[in-house]
Amino acid sequence: MLLPALLLAQSAAFAPPLIVTASRLPPLASAIQIDTNSFDSAGSVAAAAASVPNLFIAQPGGRSGFAAATLDGADPNFTLVLFDGVPINNATSSRGGAVNLAEIGSFGLASLDLLPAQLSAVHGSGALAGVLAITPRGPADRLEFTAQGGGISQGGHTLAAGLSGPIGGGWGASLTGQIDDDGTPTPLVRFVARTALLRVVRNGGADRLLLRFNDVDSAGFPDASGGALLADRRVAEQRRAREFLAAVRTRRVLGGGLALDLNTSWLGRSDSLASPGVTGAASNPAGLPASTDTTRYDRLLGQASLAWTAGATQLAVGMEGSTERGRSIGDLDFGFFALPTSYRLDRSAWAGFAEFASRAGALSGSGAVRLDQIGSLKARLSGRVAAAADLGGGWRLEASAGSSFKAPSFYALANPLVGNPALRPESGQRGDSALIWQQDRTRLRLAGFVARYRDLIDFVFQPAPALVNRGRVAVDGVSASLAQQLGDVQFDLAVQHIWPRDEAGGPGLLLRPRWRANAALRWQAAERLVINLRAGHVGARDDESVPNGRQRLSPYLQLATDVRWQTSDALAIRLAADNLLDADWQDAAGFPAPPLRLRLLASVRL
């Protein structure tokens, strides 16, 4: 669970997407690999991942907004995010456990891989829609120094540096640091992030030590306030987040086809917020009061698994245990008096799991089952089956089905303003299929999914803001993608259409565009000159703010480009432009998109 296997299939013309197992056994499903060409100019994981139609990432107010990924029309907290194999979702997040991808800088990353599927049978609570795996670069074969710096229009800048190489005894290490200042792309916003990462590995990552620290200082209009276009209160919400991640993994080969994996990790996070509140409306006169809130979250996670290999058959069994602690203290300011608020929640969990995989000729199959006992909740059994067939002529058919669940987050249960201690766990079932054709220079993928969710936890605005369980929610979807290499030009096309609906007759889900489409072109114009052009279409979607009610947001087209000039073996210059057409759209109700933004970056590798 803590470190999914990543295998790269090489092609004579270009590297096709990574294969992510999301398990301890051989891969059966082809993951969607997010284009690494845009990492340097993207700035954050959120900006890089926005190029995948399966993911809709709204960033109200630019990078200062909470960039949660809506995967295949599911809730943002249904996507499990792994950093170097370690889950970083936290139960005190205001998005019910979703990860703010804008906080994670893209410097020093090797890959972003997305596997849409129900994966609670592998990962436990939370992976109802799929897994996003973020993998940092491994240590270099020789001592190497890298640095990147540059300016961003509207007053921003970025500085980053890294040192990587062998340290003896078969071990290698990489140390990176990064400072990002996003400037002021829209009114009243601010975003500054400072990140440090140490990664020590041996045997290709079989043994690993990971230490990561992230410090984010940001400001912007509160959620559901109407943003810069509609909010009545022109005062920014102040936010501060500090996160520390430590993880250790080791693998021991025992002989006889047996291997033992031991993993442990600790995630610690503190958040502080000072909000001016949100003006009310006729349907909700009270609005949201001004507030302060300081939260602390700690999670200790450990796992032991034993894998056995015999020819084309593999079996893995193991156990996992975790403990979570959440603390919150603050106040709600109603003008004429302030109401102190707080909560303290602790939760322990254990799980037992088993996975099986086998291959016979062109056919392969796998299965997984997991039993989770989380706190005082009823024990949950999750299952998953998958199969794949190589049809010949470059064709491959993949299919999977699974059941998943998610325990309510601490925020959802106990937040003083909108929390609901009576919330039930969310659950779902999903089936996926994909037909893939790949030749030396071409890759075509046609896919579809059917997902059903029960007791989905959602935010409602009336009669008063609160979190409630929805009865039955359905999301179905189809997608197609094409990657083609033509001489010095490579282009990628992808499109997705989904049908999200509340089968119990409730209001439509927010921020679920039915249509997403992306196109990317990479042109090797000269030996040292590369030009990238990206286009993305987002369809119409609903959103809601407290003072303005439900609104229909218009579809939009976004263009971005970057030019990379390798002036020498050591120095590269990159000029990037976001929102190239200076188009006007809203990421959320009342939150305008950042205007045309230019980034000039210089990278040094010694």
Side-chain angles (χ1 to χ4, degrees):
M1 173 186 134
L2 296 183
L3 188 63
L6 300 178
L7 302 178
L8 179 60
Q10 297 294 334
S11 166
F14 61 90
L18 290 176
I19 306 299
V20 178
T21 69
S23 75
R24 306 151 193 87
L25 301 181
L28 285 181
S30 298
I32 300 170
Q33 184 183 20
I34 296 169
D35 183 16
T36 57
N37 292 319
S38 63
F39 280 4
D40 288 343
S41 60
S44 71
V45 166
S51 63
V52 178
N54 301 70
L55 288 173
F56 173 62
I57 303 176
Q59 288 190 254
R63 197 170 172 184
S64 68
F66 196 108
T70 299
L71 173 57
D72 288 340
D75 272 2
N77 59 342
F78 286 5
T79 301
L80 182 70
V81 180
L82 305 175
F83 190 92
D84 203 14
V86 183
I88 57 174
N89 303 66
N90 84 84
T92 58
S93 163
S94 62
R95 300 302 194 280
V99 174
N100 183 358
L101 299 178
E103 291 183 353
I104 307 173
S106 57
F107 178 79
L109 297 185
S111 65
L112 297 176
D113 301 283
L114 179 69
L115 184 61
Q118 297 232 352
L119 292 168
S120 282
V122 177
H123 294 282
S125 171
L128 280 84
V131 169
L132 177 64
I134 304 170
T135 305
R137 291 174 186 157
D141 294 334
R142 60 177 182 82
L143 188 61
E144 182 178 271
F145 172 76
T146 58
Q148 176 178 285
I152 308 170
S153 57
Q154 290 94 38
H157 65 268
T158 181
L159 295 170
L163 187 64
S164 177
I167 57 175
W171 290 88
S174 59
L175 175 65
T176 59
Q178 184 174 3
I179 300 175
D180 284 328
D181 185 335
D182 202 50
T184 309
T186 58
L188 295 183
V189 307
R190 181 183 73 257
F191 177 91
V192 180
R194 305 167 186 87
T195 304
L197 173 66
L198 172 64
R199 191 170 185 257
V200 184
V201 302
R202 186 178 65 171
N203 298 329
D207 300 313
R208 180 203 62 193
L209 167 67
L210 175 74
L211 299 173
R212 179 178 182 268
F213 176 72
N214 201 34
D215 180 13
V216 178
D217 183 12
S218 64
F221 285 93
D223 291 339
S225 66
L229 300 179
L230 302 173
D232 292 328
R233 295 179 185 172
R234 316 300 291 181
V235 180
E237 183 177 84
Q238 307 296 321
R239 315 171 191 120
R240 183 74 181 268
R242 291 182 176 180
E243 184 174 280
F244 187 82
L245 176 65
V248 177
R249 178 198 178 188
T250 185
R251 164 170 285 193
R252 293 292 176 263
V253 177
L254 305 179
L258 291 173
L260 176 67
D261 281 294
L262 300 174
N263 302 273
T264 186
S265 66
W266 170 62
L267 176 69
R269 183 178 174 99
S270 61
D271 288 89
S272 61
L273 178 146
S275 175
V278 176
T279 303
S283 58
N284 180 16
L288 302 178
S291 62
T292 63
D293 187 42
T294 300
T295 62
R296 173 72 192 186
Y297 176 75
D298 292 277
R299 184 188 66 224
L300 182 64
L301 181 64
Q303 184 192 89
S305 63
L306 187 65
W308 173 67
T309 302
T313 300
Q314 289 189 300
L315 174 68
V317 296
M319 295 192 67
E320 178 184 292
S322 68
T323 180
E324 296 177 284
R325 170 173 292 186
R327 301 289 185 264
S328 173
I329 186 169
D331 65 70
L332 299 175
D333 186 352
F334 294 93
F336 52 94
F337 79 100
L339 177 67
T341 61
S342 66
Y343 72 76
R344 298 168 64 89
L345 290 178
D346 297 311
R347 186 162 64 189
S348 296
W350 69 266
F353 55 83
E355 297 180 33
F356 172 83
S358 186
R359 184 178 184 91
L363 301 178
S364 53
S366 71
V369 64
R370 178 176 167 126
L371 181 67
D372 284 271
Q373 176 67 65
I374 301 178
S376 60
L377 297 176
K378 182 180 178 181
R380 301 296 294 257
L381 184 66
S382 304
R384 170 175 164 82
V385 293
D390 294 321
L391 306 178
W395 290 94
R396 177 179 171 88
L397 180 64
E398 302 173 350
S400 66
S403 61
S404 290
F405 79 101
K406 185 182 185 304
S409 70
F410 291 170
Y411 179 91
L413 291 170
N415 179 266
L417 189 60
V418 298
N420 181 355
L423 290 171
R424 300 180 297 276
E426 301 163 285
S427 62
Q429 298 80 40
R430 171 171 167 149
D432 288 84
S433 62
L435 181 63
I436 301 166
W437 178 66
Q438 183 166 325
Q439 296 293 342
D440 286 346
R441 297 176 176 271
T442 307
R443 190 176 196 273
L444 173 68
R445 185 177 189 270
L446 305 173
F449 72 90
V450 176
R452 299 292 182 268
Y453 303 107
R454 295 188 64 87
D455 295 323
L456 185 148
I457 297 173
D458 199 13
F459 186 80
V460 297
F461 290 82
Q462 299 175 14
L467 291 166
V468 300
N469 285 107
R470 286 181 181 249
R472 302 184 306 276
V473 170
V475 187
D476 305 325
V478 293
S479 62
S481 64
L482 172 67
Q484 179 70 59
Q485 181 93 30
L486 297 173
D488 294 328
V489 176
Q490 179 181 330
F491 67 85
D492 297 86
L493 303 173
V495 62
Q496 183 190 57
H497 183 62
I498 62 172
W499 293 271
R501 56 200 182 276
D502 187 323
E503 294 188 327
L509 301 173
L510 301 178
L511 294 176
R512 262 70 164 192
R514 296 202 168 197
W515 283 102
R516 289 288 316 281
N518 288 86
L521 182 146
R522 184 177 186 271
W523 177 31
Q524 187 79 43
E527 182 180 358
R528 293 180 175 269
L529 182 64
V530 178
I531 299 174
N532 292 296
L533 179 65
R534 296 177 297 277
H537 168 78
V538 175
R541 60 234 172 267
D542 290 337
D543 195 21
E544 194 165 7
S545 67
V546 172
N548 307 104
R550 184 172 287 251
Q551 301 174 50
R552 186 71 168 170
L553 304 183
S554 300
Y556 65 86
L557 175 68
Q558 182 182 14
L559 291 181
T561 186
D562 66 84
V563 178
R564 188 177 189 274
W565 177 34
Q566 189 75 40
T567 64
S568 67
D569 292 341
L571 178 64
I573 305 295
R574 184 177 289 237
L575 176 63
D578 302 320
N579 193 6
L580 189 61
L581 300 179
D582 200 21
D584 184 16
W585 73 83
Q586 296 178 42
D587 275 312
F591 287 82
L596 170 65
R597 304 201 76 194
L598 299 177
R599 300 171 181 266
L600 180 62
L601 303 173
S603 301
V604 175
R605 186 182 298 270
L606 302 173

